[in-house]
């Protein structure tokens, strides 16, 4: 029993370090809600609460994931995203990739708006991913399971809604 508890503590410390190194986000893990559950045939997610009561999802995969894939995964897990954290030191990562992809398709366009690149942002490579959650929709976090009907089943019951303050 203590070995698995030690493993979980080490996993939490490793996750804190990955989040800080890759995203520049200091996340002191208070509680892990679900640990390394399947969210696709090749991807896993860990949902955790920080000591500041922020709910975050860390997703990593063996295959290439894009922002669009992460958005679908978050929705299928039964959550609503508040913020998709970009890689450390690149606050405009998704917009920059979106503009680059847009220019590949429309090389002659000089004036590019945020509305123009909305779709192209979803093509940005995003693995690993870190997502700040605003709400768990039905109080259930789902995980991928190809053996169940609809390929998703409840992994944990957890109620969460972030209340915005000024």
């Amino acid at each position: 029993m203590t070995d698995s508890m030690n493993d979980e503590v080490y996993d939490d410390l490793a996750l804190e370090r990955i989040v800080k190194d890759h995203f520049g986000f200091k996340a002191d893990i208070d509680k892990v809600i679900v640990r390394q559950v399947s969210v696709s045939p090749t991807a896993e997610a860990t949902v955790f609460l920080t000591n500041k009561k922020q709910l975050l999802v860390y997703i990593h995969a063996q295959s290439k994931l894009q922002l669009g894939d992460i958005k679908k995964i978050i929705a299928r897990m039964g959550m609503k995203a508040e913020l998709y954290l970009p890689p450390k030191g690149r606050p405009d990562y998704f917009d920059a990739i979106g503009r680059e992809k847009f220019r590949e398709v429309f090389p002659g366009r000089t004036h590019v708006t945020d509305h123009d690149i909305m779709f192209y942002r979803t093509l940005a490579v995003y693995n690993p991913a870190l997502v700040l959650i605003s709400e768990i929709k039905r109080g259930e976090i789902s995980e991928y399971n190809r053996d169940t009907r609809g390929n998703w089943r409840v992994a944990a019951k957890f109620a969460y809604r972030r209340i915005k303050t000024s």
Side-chain angles (χ1 to χ4, degrees):
M1 181 85 169
T2 56
D3 286 342
S4 68
M5 286 176 64
N6 284 339
D7 290 345
E8 288 179 0
V9 169
Y10 288 126
D11 287 349
D12 293 353
L13 290 172
L15 182 56
E16 286 176 1
R17 170 158 285 158
I18 289 168
V19 166
K20 186 171 190 250
D21 292 348
H22 195 78
F23 299 97
F25 187 85
K26 188 171 179 342
D28 294 323
I29 297 175
D30 183 40
K31 179 181 180 185
V32 174
I33 313 306
V34 292
R35 187 181 302 276
Q36 296 176 345
V37 294
S38 291
V39 291
S40 84
T42 62
E44 291 183 335
T46 298
V47 180
F48 61 94
L49 204 56
T50 68
N51 60 0
K52 293 180 181 176
K53 304 303 177 206
Q54 294 171 305
L55 189 67
L56 292 157
V57 180
Y58 173 76
I59 300 171
H60 63 95
Q62 298 160 358
S63 60
K64 188 172 110 173
L65 289 175
Q66 297 174 329
L67 178 60
D69 300 325
I70 299 299
K71 286 183 174 191
K72 285 179 192 169
I73 288 170
I74 294 296
R76 289 182 178 146
M77 289 179 76
M79 295 186 270
K80 196 172 173 183
E82 182 173 328
L83 179 66
Y84 296 91
L85 284 96
K88 181 179 181 179
R90 298 183 68 188
D92 63 336
Y93 173 73
F94 300 118
D95 287 339
I97 298 294
R99 289 182 195 289
E100 182 181 310
K101 300 274 186 195
F102 184 85
R103 285 198 181 100
E104 288 173 12
V105 176
F106 302 104
R109 294 270 307 267
T110 54
H111 181 68
V112 181
T113 66
D114 287 342
H115 183 70
D116 292 337
I117 65 167
M118 195 179 320
F119 166 74
Y120 296 94
R121 292 177 81 226
T122 65
L123 302 177
V125 174
Y126 195 36
N127 183 23
L130 185 65
V131 184
L132 180 64
I133 300 299
S134 65
E135 175 184 355
I136 297 176
K137 293 178 185 169
R138 293 175 305 281
E140 297 174 342
I141 298 172
S142 298
E143 69 178 308
Y144 176 79
N145 183 339
R146 68 176 201 194
D147 295 333
T148 58
R149 187 174 177 198
N151 293 337
W152 291 84
R153 68 173 181 200
V154 175
K157 292 187 180 287
F158 187 76
Y160 181 84
R161 178 173 284 153
R162 187 175 163 102
I163 300 168
K164 292 185 181 180
T165 58
S166 54

